[in-house]
Amino acid sequence: GESTPAGPFVPTKEDYQKVYDAIAHRLANETDYDDGSYGPVLVRLAWHASGTYDKTTGTGGSNGATMRFAPESDHGANAGLKHARDFLEPIKAQFPWITYSDLWTLAGAAAIQELGGPVIPWRPGRQDKDVAACTPDGRLPDASKNQDHIRAIFGRMGFDDREMVALSGAHALGRAHTDRSGYEGPWDFSPTVFTNDYFKLLVDEKWNQRKWNGPAQFTDKTTSTLMMLPTDIALIKDKVFRKHVDRYAKDQDAFFKEFSDVYVKLLELGVPFESKPEDRIVFKASE
Ligand code: HEM
């Protein structure tokens, strides 16, 4: 008979679910890291890949995955994210058809879901770019600064005050490392479970300056084992931010819903999709 040439591989939603499942499987198995999970650092990789977006010039954002290259991989804010990129290399080898920029954002969505957070609808469409598309240093937030800086950085991406507070709730996950940012410690007692505990602790706990040789950070009065960055504390000092902190501390459902919406928006900044928002994939989490 006649042989039909194989066309280009066009992945289906089922193919992307397979990528999700492989990430979830690897997350469950690779527990010899931090508090037992690579999930938090995957969330941070997706955020730092996306958070370089500048709405005025349309540059930066997750489309491109330019953090694969120096100088962007060496930007101070990206210290430690090699752990996340390396974690995903076997997944990229297993599914060579996916772009790094789709893979990193898909992994960021998967990590939120696998750590008990809300569903993060996600869609493909990002293309990898070369080193020339690396963004300049300084586009990601500096934790030593105040609310004006938070508004300047996240305003540049196109977020409003409410969205800035919702996004910050990701600090329910993970910890700071002295050999990466210089800061140290987790924000709450369950850094591998996505909750509204970050907001509860901001409101309920008394936060004192930590006495140490490191950069200025805050510690909880009750146990002295948790930490807040100056930018975290800015969320309770600023009246408008504080309103949303209080709301999310009281209402976990509202936080989950609003976090999902704003994290989806973050991961899509600057991506020239051909698909529509209603084409987003709702991944099934692992059991
Ligand atoms: C960790 C700063 C917003 C997710 C960190 C660390 C710093 C930081 C200094 C510690 C890094 C280390 O030493 O390993 C900030 C500042 C923000 C901000 C200044 C805004 C004012 C966000 C947002 C997200 C996010 C919007 C996600 C939506 C995370 C996660 C970690 C983290 C999950 C833990 C990473 C790990 O455990 O390795 N952040 N961040 N952050 N950040 Fe943020």
Side-chain angles (χ1 to χ4, degrees), residues 33-34 40-41 43-44 47 79 141-143 150 154 167-168 170-171 173-177 180-183 187 229 231 259 263 266:
Y33 178 78
D34 270 8
V41 80
V43 171
R44 191 163 202 244
W47 138 236
D142 173 346
I150 298 173
F154 287 88
L167 275 175
S168 302
H171 282 170
L173 298 176
R175 57 172 59 246
H177 308 75
R180 299 183 191 177
S181 60
Y183 298 98
W187 287 267
L229 303 166
T231 42
F259 177 83
Y263 190 67
L266 173 71

PDB file of all heavy atoms in Angstrom, residues 33-34 40-41 43-44 47 79 141-143 150 154 167-168 170-171 173-177 180-183 187 229 231 259 263 266, ligand 1:
ATOM      1  N   TYR A  33      14.667  16.204  49.235  1.00  0.00           N
ATOM      2  CA  TYR A  33      14.907  17.609  48.917  1.00  0.00           C
ATOM      3  C   TYR A  33      14.119  18.467  49.897  1.00  0.00           C
ATOM      4  O   TYR A  33      12.948  18.184  50.170  1.00  0.00           O
ATOM      5  CB  TYR A  33      14.460  17.895  47.470  1.00  0.00           C
ATOM      6  CG  TYR A  33      14.627  19.331  47.039  1.00  0.00           C
ATOM      7  CD1 TYR A  33      15.875  19.815  46.681  1.00  0.00           C
ATOM      8  CD2 TYR A  33      13.542  20.195  47.028  1.00  0.00           C
ATOM      9  CE1 TYR A  33      16.035  21.146  46.311  1.00  0.00           C
ATOM     10  CE2 TYR A  33      13.688  21.519  46.654  1.00  0.00           C
ATOM     11  CZ  TYR A  33      14.932  21.985  46.292  1.00  0.00           C
ATOM     12  OH  TYR A  33      15.090  23.298  45.932  1.00  0.00           O
ATOM     13  N   ASP A  34      14.746  19.493  50.419  1.00  0.00           N
ATOM     14  CA  ASP A  34      14.084  20.440  51.333  1.00  0.00           C
ATOM     15  C   ASP A  34      13.108  19.754  52.315  1.00  0.00           C
ATOM     16  O   ASP A  34      13.508  18.860  53.016  1.00  0.00           O
ATOM     17  CB  ASP A  34      13.364  21.533  50.530  1.00  0.00           C
ATOM     18  CG  ASP A  34      14.277  22.735  50.267  1.00  0.00           C
ATOM     19  OD1 ASP A  34      15.481  22.655  50.570  1.00  0.00           O
ATOM     20  OD2 ASP A  34      13.787  23.760  49.768  1.00  0.00           O
ATOM     21  N   PRO A  40       7.392  23.417  45.869  1.00  0.00           N
ATOM     22  CA  PRO A  40       7.542  24.872  46.038  1.00  0.00           C
ATOM     23  C   PRO A  40       8.528  25.506  45.054  1.00  0.00           C
ATOM     24  O   PRO A  40       8.240  26.580  44.502  1.00  0.00           O
ATOM     25  CB  PRO A  40       8.042  24.996  47.486  1.00  0.00           C
ATOM     26  CG  PRO A  40       7.449  23.794  48.178  1.00  0.00           C
ATOM     27  CD  PRO A  40       7.529  22.694  47.152  1.00  0.00           C
ATOM     28  N   VAL A  41       9.646  24.854  44.809  1.00  0.00           N
ATOM     29  CA  VAL A  41      10.628  25.471  43.906  1.00  0.00           C
ATOM     30  C   VAL A  41      10.134  25.435  42.452  1.00  0.00           C
ATOM     31  O   VAL A  41      10.498  26.298  41.639  1.00  0.00           O
ATOM     32  CB  VAL A  41      12.046  24.854  44.118  1.00  0.00           C
ATOM     33  CG1 VAL A  41      12.205  23.515  43.410  1.00  0.00           C
ATOM     34  CG2 VAL A  41      13.143  25.837  43.683  1.00  0.00           C
ATOM     35  N   VAL A  43       6.951  25.974  41.730  1.00  0.00           N
ATOM     36  CA  VAL A  43       6.053  27.141  41.717  1.00  0.00           C
ATOM     37  C   VAL A  43       6.886  28.412  41.509  1.00  0.00           C
ATOM     38  O   VAL A  43       6.533  29.296  40.721  1.00  0.00           O
ATOM     39  CB  VAL A  43       5.247  27.233  43.036  1.00  0.00           C
ATOM     40  CG1 VAL A  43       4.473  28.549  43.120  1.00  0.00           C
ATOM     41  CG2 VAL A  43       4.287  26.048  43.153  1.00  0.00           C
ATOM     42  N   ARG A  44       8.022  28.466  42.174  1.00  0.00           N
ATOM     43  CA  ARG A  44       8.866  29.660  42.054  1.00  0.00           C
ATOM     44  C   ARG A  44       9.477  29.779  40.655  1.00  0.00           C
ATOM     45  O   ARG A  44       9.607  30.881  40.121  1.00  0.00           O
ATOM     46  CB  ARG A  44       9.964  29.633  43.123  1.00  0.00           C
ATOM     47  CG  ARG A  44      10.705  30.940  43.219  1.00  0.00           C
ATOM     48  CD  ARG A  44      11.496  31.102  44.518  1.00  0.00           C
ATOM     49  NE  ARG A  44      11.729  32.518  44.770  1.00  0.00           N
ATOM     50  CZ  ARG A  44      12.940  33.080  44.800  1.00  0.00           C
ATOM     51  NH1 ARG A  44      14.016  32.352  44.633  1.00  0.00           N
ATOM     52  NH2 ARG A  44      13.057  34.376  45.005  1.00  0.00           N
ATOM     53  N   TRP A  47       6.843  31.166  38.374  1.00  0.00           N
ATOM     54  CA  TRP A  47       6.614  32.584  38.699  1.00  0.00           C
ATOM     55  C   TRP A  47       7.764  33.454  38.173  1.00  0.00           C
ATOM     56  O   TRP A  47       7.532  34.487  37.557  1.00  0.00           O
ATOM     57  CB  TRP A  47       6.346  32.700  40.198  1.00  0.00           C
ATOM     58  CG  TRP A  47       6.944  33.815  41.018  1.00  0.00           C
ATOM     59  CD1 TRP A  47       7.717  33.652  42.135  1.00  0.00           C
ATOM     60  CD2 TRP A  47       6.798  35.243  40.852  1.00  0.00           C
ATOM     61  NE1 TRP A  47       8.081  34.881  42.648  1.00  0.00           N
ATOM     62  CE2 TRP A  47       7.529  35.865  41.890  1.00  0.00           C
ATOM     63  CE3 TRP A  47       6.140  36.032  39.925  1.00  0.00           C
ATOM     64  CZ2 TRP A  47       7.619  37.246  42.026  1.00  0.00           C
ATOM     65  CZ3 TRP A  47       6.236  37.431  40.061  1.00  0.00           C
ATOM     66  CH2 TRP A  47       6.958  38.018  41.099  1.00  0.00           C
ATOM     67  N   ALA A  79      18.553  32.656  41.832  1.00  0.00           N
ATOM     68  CA  ALA A  79      19.448  31.710  42.529  1.00  0.00           C
ATOM     69  C   ALA A  79      18.640  30.530  43.057  1.00  0.00           C
ATOM     70  O   ALA A  79      17.594  30.706  43.680  1.00  0.00           O
ATOM     71  CB  ALA A  79      20.166  32.418  43.671  1.00  0.00           C
ATOM     72  N   PRO A 141      10.785  41.163  42.005  1.00  0.00           N
ATOM     73  CA  PRO A 141      10.764  41.987  43.226  1.00  0.00           C
ATOM     74  C   PRO A 141      11.961  41.766  44.148  1.00  0.00           C
ATOM     75  O   PRO A 141      12.546  40.695  44.178  1.00  0.00           O
ATOM     76  CB  PRO A 141       9.458  41.560  43.913  1.00  0.00           C
ATOM     77  CG  PRO A 141       9.104  40.247  43.325  1.00  0.00           C
ATOM     78  CD  PRO A 141       9.656  40.227  41.939  1.00  0.00           C
ATOM     79  N   ASP A 142      12.275  42.821  44.898  1.00  0.00           N
ATOM     80  CA  ASP A 142      13.357  42.820  45.885  1.00  0.00           C
ATOM     81  C   ASP A 142      12.709  42.774  47.264  1.00  0.00           C
ATOM     82  O   ASP A 142      11.977  43.696  47.641  1.00  0.00           O
ATOM     83  CB  ASP A 142      14.180  44.102  45.685  1.00  0.00           C
ATOM     84  CG  ASP A 142      15.241  44.322  46.750  1.00  0.00           C
ATOM     85  OD1 ASP A 142      15.208  43.647  47.805  1.00  0.00           O
ATOM     86  OD2 ASP A 142      16.108  45.184  46.525  1.00  0.00           O
ATOM     87  N   ALA A 143      12.970  41.702  48.005  1.00  0.00           N
ATOM     88  CA  ALA A 143      12.279  41.440  49.274  1.00  0.00           C
ATOM     89  C   ALA A 143      12.599  42.443  50.374  1.00  0.00           C
ATOM     90  O   ALA A 143      11.906  42.490  51.384  1.00  0.00           O
ATOM     91  CB  ALA A 143      12.607  40.029  49.754  1.00  0.00           C
ATOM     92  N   ILE A 150       6.456  46.966  45.622  1.00  0.00           N
ATOM     93  CA  ILE A 150       5.542  45.886  45.222  1.00  0.00           C
ATOM     94  C   ILE A 150       4.601  46.403  44.131  1.00  0.00           C
ATOM     95  O   ILE A 150       4.418  45.759  43.091  1.00  0.00           O
ATOM     96  CB  ILE A 150       4.721  45.370  46.432  1.00  0.00           C
ATOM     97  CG1 ILE A 150       5.659  44.772  47.490  1.00  0.00           C
ATOM     98  CG2 ILE A 150       3.672  44.347  45.986  1.00  0.00           C
ATOM     99  CD1 ILE A 150       4.960  44.375  48.797  1.00  0.00           C
ATOM    100  N   PHE A 154       4.681  44.814  40.335  1.00  0.00           N
ATOM    101  CA  PHE A 154       3.505  44.057  39.875  1.00  0.00           C
ATOM    102  C   PHE A 154       2.579  44.910  39.006  1.00  0.00           C
ATOM    103  O   PHE A 154       1.852  44.372  38.165  1.00  0.00           O
ATOM    104  CB  PHE A 154       2.754  43.444  41.067  1.00  0.00           C
ATOM    105  CG  PHE A 154       3.462  42.269  41.690  1.00  0.00           C
ATOM    106  CD1 PHE A 154       4.395  42.447  42.690  1.00  0.00           C
ATOM    107  CD2 PHE A 154       3.207  40.978  41.242  1.00  0.00           C
ATOM    108  CE1 PHE A 154       5.063  41.355  43.265  1.00  0.00           C
ATOM    109  CE2 PHE A 154       3.868  39.882  41.798  1.00  0.00           C
ATOM    110  CZ  PHE A 154       4.797  40.085  42.823  1.00  0.00           C
ATOM    111  N   LEU A 167      -1.511  36.776  44.928  1.00  0.00           N
ATOM    112  CA  LEU A 167      -0.298  36.101  44.445  1.00  0.00           C
ATOM    113  C   LEU A 167       0.684  35.832  45.581  1.00  0.00           C
ATOM    114  O   LEU A 167       1.322  34.773  45.631  1.00  0.00           O
ATOM    115  CB  LEU A 167       0.394  36.961  43.382  1.00  0.00           C
ATOM    116  CG  LEU A 167      -0.110  36.830  41.947  1.00  0.00           C
ATOM    117  CD1 LEU A 167       0.613  37.839  41.061  1.00  0.00           C
ATOM    118  CD2 LEU A 167       0.098  35.410  41.408  1.00  0.00           C
ATOM    119  N   SER A 168       0.796  36.791  46.501  1.00  0.00           N
ATOM    120  CA  SER A 168       1.750  36.652  47.603  1.00  0.00           C
ATOM    121  C   SER A 168       1.433  35.451  48.484  1.00  0.00           C
ATOM    122  O   SER A 168       2.320  34.936  49.183  1.00  0.00           O
ATOM    123  CB  SER A 168       1.754  37.916  48.463  1.00  0.00           C
ATOM    124  OG  SER A 168       2.080  39.043  47.676  1.00  0.00           O
ATOM    125  N   ALA A 170       1.232  32.562  47.728  1.00  0.00           N
ATOM    126  CA  ALA A 170       2.062  31.410  47.350  1.00  0.00           C
ATOM    127  C   ALA A 170       3.155  31.160  48.377  1.00  0.00           C
ATOM    128  O   ALA A 170       3.722  30.066  48.440  1.00  0.00           O
ATOM    129  CB  ALA A 170       2.678  31.622  45.972  1.00  0.00           C
ATOM    130  N   HIS A 171       3.453  32.164  49.190  1.00  0.00           N
ATOM    131  CA  HIS A 171       4.456  31.968  50.238  1.00  0.00           C
ATOM    132  C   HIS A 171       3.960  31.051  51.358  1.00  0.00           C
ATOM    133  O   HIS A 171       4.689  30.813  52.326  1.00  0.00           O
ATOM    134  CB  HIS A 171       4.942  33.320  50.787  1.00  0.00           C
ATOM    135  CG  HIS A 171       5.918  33.990  49.872  1.00  0.00           C
ATOM    136  ND1 HIS A 171       6.340  35.285  50.032  1.00  0.00           N
ATOM    137  CD2 HIS A 171       6.574  33.520  48.773  1.00  0.00           C
ATOM    138  CE1 HIS A 171       7.202  35.586  49.076  1.00  0.00           C
ATOM    139  NE2 HIS A 171       7.357  34.542  48.295  1.00  0.00           N
ATOM    140  N   LEU A 173       3.915  28.214  50.643  1.00  0.00           N
ATOM    141  CA  LEU A 173       4.780  27.103  50.226  1.00  0.00           C
ATOM    142  C   LEU A 173       6.251  27.464  50.322  1.00  0.00           C
ATOM    143  O   LEU A 173       6.643  28.597  50.028  1.00  0.00           O
ATOM    144  CB  LEU A 173       4.492  26.733  48.772  1.00  0.00           C
ATOM    145  CG  LEU A 173       3.079  26.229  48.442  1.00  0.00           C
ATOM    146  CD1 LEU A 173       2.950  26.012  46.944  1.00  0.00           C
ATOM    147  CD2 LEU A 173       2.773  24.942  49.213  1.00  0.00           C
ATOM    148  N   GLY A 174       7.055  26.470  50.684  1.00  0.00           N
ATOM    149  CA  GLY A 174       8.503  26.588  50.557  1.00  0.00           C
ATOM    150  C   GLY A 174       9.172  27.368  51.657  1.00  0.00           C
ATOM    151  O   GLY A 174       8.593  27.646  52.715  1.00  0.00           O
ATOM    152  N   ARG A 175      10.391  27.745  51.386  1.00  0.00           N
ATOM    153  CA  ARG A 175      11.225  28.417  52.374  1.00  0.00           C
ATOM    154  C   ARG A 175      12.293  29.242  51.670  1.00  0.00           C
ATOM    155  O   ARG A 175      12.556  29.063  50.488  1.00  0.00           O
ATOM    156  CB  ARG A 175      11.917  27.378  53.262  1.00  0.00           C
ATOM    157  CG  ARG A 175      12.753  26.365  52.474  1.00  0.00           C
ATOM    158  CD  ARG A 175      13.591  25.461  53.380  1.00  0.00           C
ATOM    159  NE  ARG A 175      12.839  24.695  54.330  1.00  0.00           N
ATOM    160  CZ  ARG A 175      12.910  24.864  55.668  1.00  0.00           C
ATOM    161  NH1 ARG A 175      13.717  25.769  56.182  1.00  0.00           N
ATOM    162  NH2 ARG A 175      12.205  24.106  56.471  1.00  0.00           N
ATOM    163  N   ALA A 176      12.904  30.119  52.450  1.00  0.00           N
ATOM    164  CA  ALA A 176      14.055  30.879  51.959  1.00  0.00           C
ATOM    165  C   ALA A 176      15.336  30.180  52.400  1.00  0.00           C
ATOM    166  O   ALA A 176      15.362  29.500  53.427  1.00  0.00           O
ATOM    167  CB  ALA A 176      14.002  32.302  52.505  1.00  0.00           C
ATOM    168  N   HIS A 177      16.370  30.332  51.576  1.00  0.00           N
ATOM    169  CA  HIS A 177      17.658  29.661  51.797  1.00  0.00           C
ATOM    170  C   HIS A 177      18.778  30.704  51.856  1.00  0.00           C
ATOM    171  O   HIS A 177      18.874  31.547  50.950  1.00  0.00           O
ATOM    172  CB  HIS A 177      17.965  28.705  50.643  1.00  0.00           C
ATOM    173  CG  HIS A 177      16.865  27.734  50.316  1.00  0.00           C
ATOM    174  ND1 HIS A 177      15.714  28.106  49.650  1.00  0.00           N
ATOM    175  CD2 HIS A 177      16.755  26.402  50.563  1.00  0.00           C
ATOM    176  CE1 HIS A 177      14.937  27.034  49.503  1.00  0.00           C
ATOM    177  NE2 HIS A 177      15.544  25.988  50.054  1.00  0.00           N
ATOM    178  N   ARG A 180      20.823  31.167  48.758  1.00  0.00           N
ATOM    179  CA  ARG A 180      20.137  31.628  47.533  1.00  0.00           C
ATOM    180  C   ARG A 180      19.821  33.117  47.677  1.00  0.00           C
ATOM    181  O   ARG A 180      20.475  33.960  47.071  1.00  0.00           O
ATOM    182  CB  ARG A 180      18.857  30.810  47.301  1.00  0.00           C
ATOM    183  CG  ARG A 180      19.181  29.319  47.108  1.00  0.00           C
ATOM    184  CD  ARG A 180      17.951  28.486  46.812  1.00  0.00           C
ATOM    185  NE  ARG A 180      18.297  27.057  46.912  1.00  0.00           N
ATOM    186  CZ  ARG A 180      17.448  26.064  46.764  1.00  0.00           C
ATOM    187  NH1 ARG A 180      16.168  26.319  46.505  1.00  0.00           N
ATOM    188  NH2 ARG A 180      17.839  24.810  46.868  1.00  0.00           N
ATOM    189  N   SER A 181      18.843  33.431  48.517  1.00  0.00           N
ATOM    190  CA  SER A 181      18.432  34.834  48.679  1.00  0.00           C
ATOM    191  C   SER A 181      19.130  35.515  49.851  1.00  0.00           C
ATOM    192  O   SER A 181      19.111  36.741  49.964  1.00  0.00           O
ATOM    193  CB  SER A 181      16.932  34.899  48.912  1.00  0.00           C
ATOM    194  OG  SER A 181      16.600  34.180  50.091  1.00  0.00           O
ATOM    195  N   GLY A 182      19.707  34.710  50.772  1.00  0.00           N
ATOM    196  CA  GLY A 182      20.273  35.276  51.997  1.00  0.00           C
ATOM    197  C   GLY A 182      19.304  35.184  53.162  1.00  0.00           C
ATOM    198  O   GLY A 182      19.713  35.197  54.319  1.00  0.00           O
ATOM    199  N   TYR A 183      17.999  35.098  52.864  1.00  0.00           N
ATOM    200  CA  TYR A 183      16.977  34.967  53.908  1.00  0.00           C
ATOM    201  C   TYR A 183      16.914  33.502  54.336  1.00  0.00           C
ATOM    202  O   TYR A 183      17.419  32.615  53.657  1.00  0.00           O
ATOM    203  CB  TYR A 183      15.614  35.433  53.382  1.00  0.00           C
ATOM    204  CG  TYR A 183      15.601  36.895  52.982  1.00  0.00           C
ATOM    205  CD1 TYR A 183      15.747  37.276  51.657  1.00  0.00           C
ATOM    206  CD2 TYR A 183      15.461  37.890  53.954  1.00  0.00           C
ATOM    207  CE1 TYR A 183      15.751  38.623  51.289  1.00  0.00           C
ATOM    208  CE2 TYR A 183      15.461  39.229  53.597  1.00  0.00           C
ATOM    209  CZ  TYR A 183      15.609  39.586  52.265  1.00  0.00           C
ATOM    210  OH  TYR A 183      15.606  40.910  51.914  1.00  0.00           O
ATOM    211  N   TRP A 187       7.616  30.131  55.788  1.00  0.00           N
ATOM    212  CA  TRP A 187       6.600  31.113  56.196  1.00  0.00           C
ATOM    213  C   TRP A 187       5.564  30.503  57.139  1.00  0.00           C
ATOM    214  O   TRP A 187       4.890  31.205  57.853  1.00  0.00           O
ATOM    215  CB  TRP A 187       5.885  31.678  54.971  1.00  0.00           C
ATOM    216  CG  TRP A 187       6.685  32.634  54.152  1.00  0.00           C
ATOM    217  CD1 TRP A 187       6.689  34.002  54.283  1.00  0.00           C
ATOM    218  CD2 TRP A 187       7.580  32.345  53.077  1.00  0.00           C
ATOM    219  NE1 TRP A 187       7.534  34.554  53.350  1.00  0.00           N
ATOM    220  CE2 TRP A 187       8.090  33.573  52.598  1.00  0.00           C
ATOM    221  CE3 TRP A 187       8.015  31.160  52.464  1.00  0.00           C
ATOM    222  CZ2 TRP A 187       8.994  33.660  51.533  1.00  0.00           C
ATOM    223  CZ3 TRP A 187       8.917  31.240  51.411  1.00  0.00           C
ATOM    224  CH2 TRP A 187       9.398  32.478  50.957  1.00  0.00           C
ATOM    225  N   LEU A 229       9.352  38.137  55.093  1.00  0.00           N
ATOM    226  CA  LEU A 229      10.242  39.089  54.435  1.00  0.00           C
ATOM    227  C   LEU A 229       9.692  40.501  54.659  1.00  0.00           C
ATOM    228  O   LEU A 229       8.492  40.661  54.912  1.00  0.00           O
ATOM    229  CB  LEU A 229      10.271  38.802  52.925  1.00  0.00           C
ATOM    230  CG  LEU A 229      10.690  37.391  52.513  1.00  0.00           C
ATOM    231  CD1 LEU A 229      10.333  37.145  51.038  1.00  0.00           C
ATOM    232  CD2 LEU A 229      12.182  37.197  52.743  1.00  0.00           C
ATOM    233  N   THR A 231       8.852  42.559  52.439  1.00  0.00           N
ATOM    234  CA  THR A 231       7.727  42.730  51.501  1.00  0.00           C
ATOM    235  C   THR A 231       6.467  42.006  51.980  1.00  0.00           C
ATOM    236  O   THR A 231       5.353  42.416  51.656  1.00  0.00           O
ATOM    237  CB  THR A 231       8.086  42.229  50.087  1.00  0.00           C
ATOM    238  OG1 THR A 231       8.807  40.997  50.203  1.00  0.00           O
ATOM    239  CG2 THR A 231       8.906  43.254  49.324  1.00  0.00           C
ATOM    240  N   PHE A 259      -6.687  33.230  43.999  1.00  0.00           N
ATOM    241  CA  PHE A 259      -5.313  32.842  43.677  1.00  0.00           C
ATOM    242  C   PHE A 259      -5.270  32.134  42.333  1.00  0.00           C
ATOM    243  O   PHE A 259      -4.414  32.423  41.481  1.00  0.00           O
ATOM    244  CB  PHE A 259      -4.687  31.942  44.760  1.00  0.00           C
ATOM    245  CG  PHE A 259      -3.296  31.496  44.374  1.00  0.00           C
ATOM    246  CD1 PHE A 259      -2.200  32.324  44.601  1.00  0.00           C
ATOM    247  CD2 PHE A 259      -3.077  30.281  43.725  1.00  0.00           C
ATOM    248  CE1 PHE A 259      -0.923  31.956  44.191  1.00  0.00           C
ATOM    249  CE2 PHE A 259      -1.806  29.902  43.310  1.00  0.00           C
ATOM    250  CZ  PHE A 259      -0.724  30.744  43.551  1.00  0.00           C
ATOM    251  N   TYR A 263      -3.010  33.483  39.271  1.00  0.00           N
ATOM    252  CA  TYR A 263      -1.844  32.661  38.895  1.00  0.00           C
ATOM    253  C   TYR A 263      -1.970  32.221  37.430  1.00  0.00           C
ATOM    254  O   TYR A 263      -0.983  32.205  36.694  1.00  0.00           O
ATOM    255  CB  TYR A 263      -1.772  31.480  39.854  1.00  0.00           C
ATOM    256  CG  TYR A 263      -0.529  30.631  39.797  1.00  0.00           C
ATOM    257  CD1 TYR A 263       0.722  31.115  40.183  1.00  0.00           C
ATOM    258  CD2 TYR A 263      -0.608  29.287  39.403  1.00  0.00           C
ATOM    259  CE1 TYR A 263       1.846  30.304  40.166  1.00  0.00           C
ATOM    260  CE2 TYR A 263       0.511  28.466  39.395  1.00  0.00           C
ATOM    261  CZ  TYR A 263       1.739  28.979  39.777  1.00  0.00           C
ATOM    262  OH  TYR A 263       2.847  28.165  39.760  1.00  0.00           O
ATOM    263  N   LEU A 266      -0.910  35.236  35.553  1.00  0.00           N
ATOM    264  CA  LEU A 266       0.552  35.369  35.621  1.00  0.00           C
ATOM    265  C   LEU A 266       1.243  34.465  34.597  1.00  0.00           C
ATOM    266  O   LEU A 266       2.113  34.909  33.845  1.00  0.00           O
ATOM    267  CB  LEU A 266       1.024  35.005  37.039  1.00  0.00           C
ATOM    268  CG  LEU A 266       2.535  34.907  37.282  1.00  0.00           C
ATOM    269  CD1 LEU A 266       3.180  36.297  37.243  1.00  0.00           C
ATOM    270  CD2 LEU A 266       2.845  34.240  38.633  1.00  0.00           C
TER     271      LEU A 266
HETATM  272  C1  HEM B   1      10.575  32.072  47.813  1.00  0.00           C
HETATM  273  C2  HEM B   1      10.715  36.905  47.474  1.00  0.00           C
HETATM  274  C3  HEM B   1       6.359  36.878  45.381  1.00  0.00           C
HETATM  275  C4  HEM B   1       6.474  32.056  45.250  1.00  0.00           C
HETATM  276  C5  HEM B   1      10.993  33.380  47.886  1.00  0.00           C
HETATM  277  C6  HEM B   1      12.236  33.816  48.455  1.00  0.00           C
HETATM  278  C7  HEM B   1      12.281  35.170  48.365  1.00  0.00           C
HETATM  279  C8  HEM B   1      11.063  35.587  47.730  1.00  0.00           C
HETATM  280  C9  HEM B   1      13.404  36.077  48.837  1.00  0.00           C
HETATM  281  C10 HEM B   1      13.301  32.880  49.035  1.00  0.00           C
HETATM  282  C11 HEM B   1      14.180  32.304  47.924  1.00  0.00           C
HETATM  283  C12 HEM B   1      15.223  31.349  48.462  1.00  0.00           C
HETATM  284  O1  HEM B   1      16.073  31.789  49.256  1.00  0.00           O
HETATM  285  O2  HEM B   1      15.190  30.157  48.096  1.00  0.00           O
HETATM  286  C13 HEM B   1       9.511  37.313  46.942  1.00  0.00           C
HETATM  287  C14 HEM B   1       9.099  38.686  46.822  1.00  0.00           C
HETATM  288  C15 HEM B   1       7.858  38.690  46.258  1.00  0.00           C
HETATM  289  C16 HEM B   1       7.510  37.298  46.001  1.00  0.00           C
HETATM  290  C17 HEM B   1       9.925  39.888  47.258  1.00  0.00           C
HETATM  291  C18 HEM B   1       6.936  39.825  45.948  1.00  0.00           C
HETATM  292  C19 HEM B   1       6.972  40.988  46.564  1.00  0.00           C
HETATM  293  C20 HEM B   1       6.082  35.570  45.043  1.00  0.00           C
HETATM  294  C21 HEM B   1       5.013  35.162  44.166  1.00  0.00           C
HETATM  295  C22 HEM B   1       5.060  33.783  44.116  1.00  0.00           C
HETATM  296  C23 HEM B   1       6.146  33.362  44.983  1.00  0.00           C
HETATM  297  C24 HEM B   1       4.078  36.103  43.424  1.00  0.00           C
HETATM  298  C25 HEM B   1       4.196  32.831  43.329  1.00  0.00           C
HETATM  299  C26 HEM B   1       2.992  33.106  42.864  1.00  0.00           C
HETATM  300  C27 HEM B   1       7.538  31.655  46.032  1.00  0.00           C
HETATM  301  C28 HEM B   1       7.759  30.276  46.453  1.00  0.00           C
HETATM  302  C29 HEM B   1       8.955  30.290  47.202  1.00  0.00           C
HETATM  303  C30 HEM B   1       9.418  31.663  47.211  1.00  0.00           C
HETATM  304  C31 HEM B   1       6.859  29.080  46.190  1.00  0.00           C
HETATM  305  C32 HEM B   1       9.625  29.094  47.890  1.00  0.00           C
HETATM  306  C33 HEM B   1      10.697  28.506  46.994  1.00  0.00           C
HETATM  307  C34 HEM B   1      11.433  27.351  47.623  1.00  0.00           C
HETATM  308  O3  HEM B   1      10.958  26.771  48.603  1.00  0.00           O
HETATM  309  O4  HEM B   1      12.495  27.002  47.087  1.00  0.00           O
HETATM  310  N1  HEM B   1      10.297  34.474  47.444  1.00  0.00           N
HETATM  311  N2  HEM B   1       8.538  36.500  46.449  1.00  0.00           N
HETATM  312  N3  HEM B   1       6.759  34.467  45.494  1.00  0.00           N
HETATM  313  N4  HEM B   1       8.528  32.454  46.522  1.00  0.00           N
HETATM  314 FE1  HEM B   1       8.487  34.474  46.544  1.00  0.00          FE
END
